[in-house]
């Protein structure tokens, strides 16, 4: 049976306030999932509401499945009939019944990314849209997806764009939508757009849906976009019993279209809303929560709330300061190993969080060298990223030209105009002459069936490889690798690839990190050669299949991937200005979201939290001095086990609003000069 006795007063109020719009502002670790489950059970058991009249929406299939299991345990099967799903699953179920009103058949298929790219490539080839090389299929796919996330149709897109490139995208967008409809297919972005279109253009058809769902609950409401917001307005047009659960302080997906103003503006569209704040945290110690409160309170556009805990004890927040990024990670791994040995802790209780994917390379290498088992959550291992695999493929071919898997990877990366037909002809000669592909390419102009332009390009490529075989054998690895990247134009190639600016910058940063890795390796081992470096990388990329250590691993991830998780012991690394907060995010006015991301990171820690940074880091071969993150300077020094040494930049100083900070800065200066 449903029992409210285990709930605190605010949770109980959230469970039993059923009628009208309700916004539950649930701080990190405040038990919001329990509240949602108890609320559904209360509706069914105490208020005798039919399960068919309840709609609960969350953001991941995993979260929806967890809620289903917990409801089953609590209600013993009486929950049957509740519609509990993600927004997109709800959209698909509604489209199956009513999409024929929009000219589709109910047995429509949903194309994945690969299918969508195939459609776009076919359109570009058939319509000669890529004859000047202005665009590529992946960038077109990205632009179309971004447009759809705002609800835009091709005509809207074409009206809003002026550049020749964007106009081309708009024309392909129009052909794409026509082709998809002709195939009775939709893509992931279409699901919610078409569902919204049904509500807007076929309100009579959708009236049964708005009548059916009397009680609607939405989890992680801060992650909704404007289309989802509009859908909820339609779904609640008849019954105003909408309960949203979220935390604007944890809105960190603006780059994915999430609108924090869906929380901040909620009262405008639902003036009768009742606000309930869940501020008691059941996860972390009060010291950790106080630090989180101090960081997030600097954001002015937020719903006020203050986390607190009954766990009044706890360790002070620790702070590791190192001379370089490599030494920073060595300090982190030393601390983990020491705690494991001294206190008998488990690796799985530890997590290392970082702001950007490029930082994972140093984290992974340090853990491997310290023989600490780890797993990466929510991301791709550094050496598994496409751009890293491309760059390493060049090194592998230089080391072994007969590595045809790697050779095929680099032949047209970057693009060289060696077509499929030319490669087929080259492979025919390989079979006839029993020569490896590299040898045939090296003398391609001697083979008549290989087109002349492609043959010349093949010989150019093999010439580059042969030249760098000599250079890698006789010169410093890091210097030669940098020259190789410049000569093949790989970084320029990444800068012009598909995706948004941030995605392109991320790829470039990853390759620059690989370059740093090669340089540091050659500095550490002056006698090292290309073979030994590649062997080292191979060892790094092998999975640890030991069943005894597989589960007992340190978790590493970006701060974005950490949302929703918790660990007894958390390390937040790279806590310096420009790294976190991210320099580009600050330049684009994204400090508030960066600060929310820091708040999310801090509140992942249950027992102990450690910050770390390096005094300097290397970028483009230069050593750059680092200042402590502005977020650290919001935290009361009394909460820290070791004072932060360093002085805030003038920009950060201006942003400080508390007089007590000036004394703190003076202390920094004294400690730095002593």
């Amino acid at each position: 049976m449903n029992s409210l006795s285990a709930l605190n007063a605010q949770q109980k109020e959230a469970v039993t306030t059923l009628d009208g719009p309700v916004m539950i502002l649930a701080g990190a670790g405040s038990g919001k999932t329990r509240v949602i489950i108890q609320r559904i059970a209360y509706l069914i058991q105490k208020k005798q509401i039919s399960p068919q009249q309840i709609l609960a929406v969350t953001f991941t299939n995993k979260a929806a499945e967890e809620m289903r299991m917990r409801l089953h345990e609590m209600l013993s099967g009486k929950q049957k009939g509740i519609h509990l799903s993600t927004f997109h699953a709800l959209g698909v179920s509604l489209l199956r019944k009513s999409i024929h009103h929009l000219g589709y058949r109910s047995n429509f298929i949903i194309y994945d990314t690969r299918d969508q790219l195939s459609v776009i490539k076919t359109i570009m080839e058939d319509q000669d849209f890529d004859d000047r090389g202005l665009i590529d299929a992946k960038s077109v796919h990205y632009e179309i997806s971004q447009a759809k996330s705002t609800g835009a149709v091709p005509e809207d897109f074409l009206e809003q764009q002026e550049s020749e490139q964007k106009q081309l995208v708009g024309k392909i967008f129009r052909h794409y939508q026509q082709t998809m409809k002709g195939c009775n297919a939709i893509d992931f972005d279409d699901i919610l757009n078409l569902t919204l279109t049904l509500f807007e253009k076929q309100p009579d058809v959708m009236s049964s849906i708005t009548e059916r769902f009397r009680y609607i609950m939405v989890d992680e409401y801060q992650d909704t976009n404007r289309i989802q917001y509009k859908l909820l307005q339609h779904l609640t047009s008849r019954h105003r019993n909408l309960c949203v659960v979220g935390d604007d302080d944890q809105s960190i997906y603006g780059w994915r279209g999430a609108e924090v103003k869906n929380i901040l503006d909620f009262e405008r569209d639902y003036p009768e809303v009742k606000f309930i704040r869940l501020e008691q945290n059941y996860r972390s110690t009060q010291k950790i929560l106080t630090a989180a409160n101090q960081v997030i309170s600097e954001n002015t556009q937020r719903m006020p709330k203050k986390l607190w805990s009954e766990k009044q004890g706890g360790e002070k927040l620790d702070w590791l300061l190192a001379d370089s990024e490599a030494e920073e990670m060595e300090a982190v791994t030393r601390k983990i190993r020491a705690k494991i040995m001294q206190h008998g802790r488990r690796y799985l209780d530890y997590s290392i969080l970082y702001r950007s994917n490029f930082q994972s390379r140093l984290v992974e290498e340090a853990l491997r060298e310290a023989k600490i088992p780890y797993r990466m959550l929510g991301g791709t291992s550094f050496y598994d990223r496409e751009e890293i695999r491309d760059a390493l493929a060049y090194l592998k071919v230089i080391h072994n030209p007969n590595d045809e898997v790697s050779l095929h990877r680099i032949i047209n990366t970057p693009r060289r105009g060696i077509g499929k037909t030319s490669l087929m002809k080259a492979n025919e000669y390989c079979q006839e002459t029993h020569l490896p592909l590299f040898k045939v390419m090296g003398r391609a102009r001697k083979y008549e069936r290989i087109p002349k332009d492609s043959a010349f390009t093949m010989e150019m490529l093999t010439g580059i490889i042969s030249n760098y075989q000599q250079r890698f054998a006789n010169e410093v690895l890091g210097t030669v690798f940098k020259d190789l990247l410049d000569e093949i134009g790989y970084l320029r190639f990444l800068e012009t690839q598909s995706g948004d600016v941030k995605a392109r910058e991320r790829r470039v940063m990853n390759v620059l990190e690989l370059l740093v890795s090669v340089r540091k390796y050659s500095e550490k081992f002056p006698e090292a050669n290309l073979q030994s470096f590649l062997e080292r990388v191979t060892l790094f990329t092998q999975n640890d299949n030991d069943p005894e250590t597989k589960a007992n691993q340190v978790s590493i991830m970006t701060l974005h991937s950490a949302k929703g998780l918790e660990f007894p012991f958390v390390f937040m690394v790279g806590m310096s200005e420009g790294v976190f907060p991210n320099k580009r995010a600050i330049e684009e006015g994204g400090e508030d979201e960066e600060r929310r991301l820091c708040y999310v990171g801090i509140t992942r820690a249950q027992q102990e939290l450690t910050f770390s940074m390096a005094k300097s880091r290397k970028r483009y071969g230069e050593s750059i001095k680092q200042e402590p993150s502005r977020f650290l300077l919001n935290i009361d020094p009394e909460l820290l086990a070791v004072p932060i040494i360093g002085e805030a930049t003038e920009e950060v100083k201006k942003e400080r609003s508390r007089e007590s900070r000036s004394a703190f800065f003076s202390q920094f200066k004294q400690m730095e000069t002593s």
Side-chain angles (χ1 to χ4, degrees):
M1 286 291 291
N2 178 33
S3 173
L4 304 180
S5 59
L7 304 179
N8 64 38
Q10 290 72 33
Q11 290 174 330
K12 197 174 297 182
E13 184 182 16
V15 167
T16 57
T17 304
L18 304 176
D19 297 324
V22 179
M23 174 172 281
I24 302 172
L25 292 165
S30 60
K32 69 178 178 64
T33 304
R34 174 197 285 183
V35 166
I36 296 171
I37 298 297
Q38 291 275 13
R39 198 171 195 274
I40 295 172
Y42 188 82
L43 279 166
I44 295 171
Q45 291 180 323
K46 297 293 185 182
K47 297 299 180 180
Q48 304 301 307
I49 300 299
S50 169
Q52 282 79 11
Q53 295 181 314
I54 299 172
L55 169 64
V57 184
T58 187
F59 269 79
T60 66
N61 290 313
K62 181 180 177 183
E65 185 57 33
E66 181 185 341
M67 289 173 68
R68 276 192 207 97
M69 291 175 62
R70 291 175 65 171
L71 277 170
H72 179 73
E73 291 174 5
M74 183 174 289
L75 298 175
S76 304
K78 293 180 182 178
Q79 81 287 348
K80 289 181 179 178
I82 297 172
H83 191 107
L84 201 168
S85 73
T86 63
F87 270 103
H88 286 86
L90 170 64
V92 170
S93 69
L94 298 180
L95 291 175
R96 290 292 180 200
K97 296 175 183 176
S98 306
I99 198 171
H100 60 277
H101 292 284
L102 301 178
Y104 293 82
R105 299 187 301 279
S106 61
N107 63 342
F108 63 85
I109 56 175
I110 303 171
Y111 276 11
D112 62 17
T113 301
R114 187 172 297 178
D115 296 328
Q116 295 164 48
L117 285 170
S118 178
V119 172
I120 292 169
K121 286 176 182 176
T122 300
I123 292 169
M124 292 173 68
E125 290 169 2
D126 290 348
Q127 303 294 327
D128 290 328
F129 279 132
D130 63 343
D131 59 345
R132 279 168 290 175
L134 289 174
I135 49 178
D136 62 90
K138 287 185 178 179
S139 61
V140 172
H141 175 262
Y142 172 80
E143 294 282 358
I144 291 174
S145 180
Q146 287 295 101
K148 287 185 176 185
S149 71
T150 65
V153 296
E155 288 68 30
D156 298 331
F157 187 91
L158 283 164
E159 286 179 10
Q160 295 166 5
Q161 309 299 334
E162 295 182 358
S163 71
E164 182 182 3
Q165 184 179 20
K166 296 286 188 179
Q167 282 289 310
L168 275 175
V169 172
K171 291 173 183 176
I172 297 170
F173 187 3
R174 186 162 54 202
H175 279 274
Y176 172 79
Q177 288 302 96
Q178 293 168 351
T179 303
M180 292 287 284
K181 192 167 187 178
C183 296
N184 196 39
I186 66 174
D187 60 31
F188 194 73
D189 297 306
D190 287 327
I191 293 171
L192 297 185
N193 282 322
L194 291 175
T195 305
L196 182 59
T197 301
L198 279 173
F199 276 109
E200 291 176 344
K201 296 187 176 181
Q202 303 287 338
D204 293 340
V205 171
M206 305 306 285
S207 62
S208 61
I209 301 300
T210 55
E211 177 60 38
R212 173 189 166 183
F213 293 125
R214 287 182 57 196
Y215 292 91
I216 298 176
M217 276 159 276
V218 182
D219 190 17
E220 302 290 3
Y221 183 69
Q222 75 280 347
D223 295 335
T224 54
N225 60 30
R226 295 311 286 182
I227 293 173
Q228 290 159 342
Y229 187 85
K230 290 178 182 178
L231 275 174
L232 288 172
Q233 286 183 306
H234 285 288
L235 286 165
T236 57
S237 60
R238 188 159 304 182
H239 309 293
R240 300 276 287 179
N241 303 324
L242 172 62
C243 174
V244 298
V245 185
D247 181 6
D248 55 312
D249 290 336
Q250 295 187 75
S251 180
I252 59 174
Y253 297 123
W255 49 278
R256 250 173 20 191
E259 294 269 9
V260 67
K261 65 181 181 180
N262 287 352
I263 281 187
L264 302 178
D265 295 346
F266 192 81
E267 191 171 9
R268 181 192 63 198
D269 295 309
Y270 298 90
E272 72 274 35
V273 62
K274 178 165 186 177
F275 291 99
I276 300 171
R277 287 173 169 79
L278 305 183
E279 297 173 302
Q280 182 175 356
N281 176 286
Y282 293 91
R283 174 188 300 157
S284 309
T285 66
Q286 187 58 52
K287 285 187 175 67
I288 292 171
L289 297 180
T290 300
N293 288 332
Q294 289 172 351
V295 170
I296 200 63
S297 65
E298 296 289 325
N299 277 359
T300 55
Q301 297 296 311
R302 60 185 289 264
M303 305 291 283
K305 69 188 78 68
K306 196 169 186 178
L307 292 179
W308 63 275
S309 172
E310 292 181 346
K311 302 174 185 177
Q312 292 300 312
E315 300 290 330
K316 286 190 173 185
L317 283 58
D318 209 349
W319 167 250
L320 303 177
L321 181 66
D323 288 331
S324 68
E325 291 172 296
E327 290 178 21
E328 175 192 358
M329 286 313 307
E330 287 174 11
V332 169
T333 55
R334 276 199 307 272
K335 182 171 180 180
I336 292 174
R337 288 183 65 84
K339 294 288 186 180
I340 295 289
M341 294 173 65
Q342 294 169 10
H343 302 286
R345 294 174 179 171
R346 303 172 300 175
Y347 288 122
L348 61 86
D349 292 331
Y350 286 84
S351 178
I352 300 174
L353 311 180
Y354 41 86
R355 171 61 181 85
S356 302
N357 277 311
F358 76 87
Q359 294 172 267
S360 71
R361 195 267 305 173
L362 278 172
V363 176
E364 289 187 73
E365 290 190 2
L367 289 168
R368 288 181 183 275
E369 290 179 3
K371 294 182 170 54
I372 294 176
Y374 72 91
R375 60 174 181 158
M376 177 176 286
L377 300 183
T380 304
S381 178
F382 181 81
Y383 291 102
D384 285 335
R385 295 188 179 114
E386 287 296 310
E387 59 273 16
I388 300 303
R389 289 163 66 90
D390 286 345
L392 289 175
Y394 272 94
L395 298 183
K396 289 177 181 179
V397 172
I398 291 168
H399 172 59
N400 175 18
N402 294 330
D403 179 353
E404 294 200 358
V405 172
S406 297
L407 180 57
H408 275 283
R409 188 178 187 99
I410 69 170
I411 281 174
N412 269 315
T413 306
R415 293 180 184 175
R416 296 187 174 86
I418 301 175
K420 291 180 181 178
T421 302
S422 299
L423 278 174
M424 286 173 60
K425 297 301 180 185
N427 278 303
E428 287 175 7
Y429 282 114
C430 289
Q431 293 174 1
E432 293 171 10
T433 61
H434 304 289
L435 291 173
L437 180 59
F438 187 82
K439 289 278 189 183
V440 170
M441 289 174 59
R443 57 182 78 169
R445 284 181 291 178
K446 293 183 179 180
Y447 300 109
E448 294 180 357
R449 296 198 299 271
I450 300 176
K452 290 183 179 179
D453 288 347
S454 292
F456 179 76
T457 306
M458 287 179 180
E459 291 188 14
M460 287 280 290
L461 176 59
T462 57
I464 291 172
I465 298 300
S466 299
N467 176 42
Y468 279 91
Q469 283 179 316
Q470 296 296 319
R471 292 197 59 189
F472 272 110
N474 298 295
E475 300 176 43
V476 178
L477 291 182
T479 302
V480 181
F481 185 39
K482 173 64 166 61
D483 290 346
L484 172 65
L485 292 173
D486 289 341
E487 183 162 346
I488 64 174
Y490 190 64
L491 295 179
R492 292 193 302 276
F493 164 69
L494 291 177
E495 288 167 352
T496 58
Q497 266 193 309
S498 61
D500 62 357
V501 174
K502 291 181 181 178
R504 294 197 293 269
E505 286 187 347
R506 205 158 46 236
R507 296 185 192 113
V508 171
M509 287 297 293
N510 286 336
V511 175
L512 291 175
E513 272 300 307
L514 179 63
L515 175 58
V516 169
S517 177
V518 175
R519 281 175 168 163
K520 287 186 175 179
Y521 179 74
S522 58
E523 289 171 5
K524 189 173 182 179
F525 305 103
E527 302 301 317
N529 56 25
L530 185 56
Q531 178 180 338
S532 62
F533 176 76
L534 290 172
E535 286 174 354
R536 179 173 181 268
V537 169
T538 301
L539 290 173
F540 275 1
T541 53
Q542 293 299 311
N543 292 323
D544 184 354
N545 293 315
D546 184 349
E548 293 185 3
T549 61
K550 196 168 184 179
N552 188 26
Q553 299 167 314
V554 173
S555 296
I556 70 171
M557 69 201 82
T558 64
L559 285 152
H560 282 99
S561 297
K563 188 171 176 296
L565 303 177
E566 58 185 40
F567 300 91
F569 314 108
V570 170
F571 289 81
M572 291 177 63
V573 301
M575 294 295 295
S576 59
E577 280 291 304
V579 178
F580 190 37
N582 178 273
K583 181 181 178 182
R584 181 179 179 85
I586 295 299
E587 290 173 348
E588 294 180 350
E591 180 180 345
D592 280 8
E593 184 156 322
E594 289 290 289
R595 191 176 293 281
R596 293 194 291 267
L597 192 55
C598 185
Y599 172 84
V600 166
I602 292 172
T603 54
R604 299 312 94 195
Q606 296 170 297
Q607 298 177 31
E608 294 179 17
L609 175 63
T610 302
F611 299 111
S612 71
M613 68 163 278
K615 292 180 183 176
S616 67
R617 62 189 178 111
K618 282 196 173 182
R619 287 296 175 268
Y620 308 104
E622 294 183 15
S623 185
I624 304 170
K625 184 180 178 182
Q626 300 293 285
E627 299 289 350
S629 167
R630 66 188 69 188
F631 303 147
L632 291 177
L633 301 176
N634 294 134
I635 299 173
D636 187 338
E638 292 300 316
L639 294 173
L640 298 168
V642 180
I644 300 172
I645 302 174
E647 184 166 9
T649 61
E650 289 302 317
E651 179 187 358
V652 174
K653 281 184 183 179
K654 291 175 184 176
E655 294 174 3
R656 298 286 73 79
S657 58
R658 303 174 189 174
E659 292 182 3
S660 59
R661 292 288 178 257
S662 60
F664 195 21
F665 294 138
S666 298
Q667 183 187 23
F668 285 166
K669 197 64 181 176
Q670 291 170 7
M671 296 185 71
E672 202 170 33
T673 55
S674 63

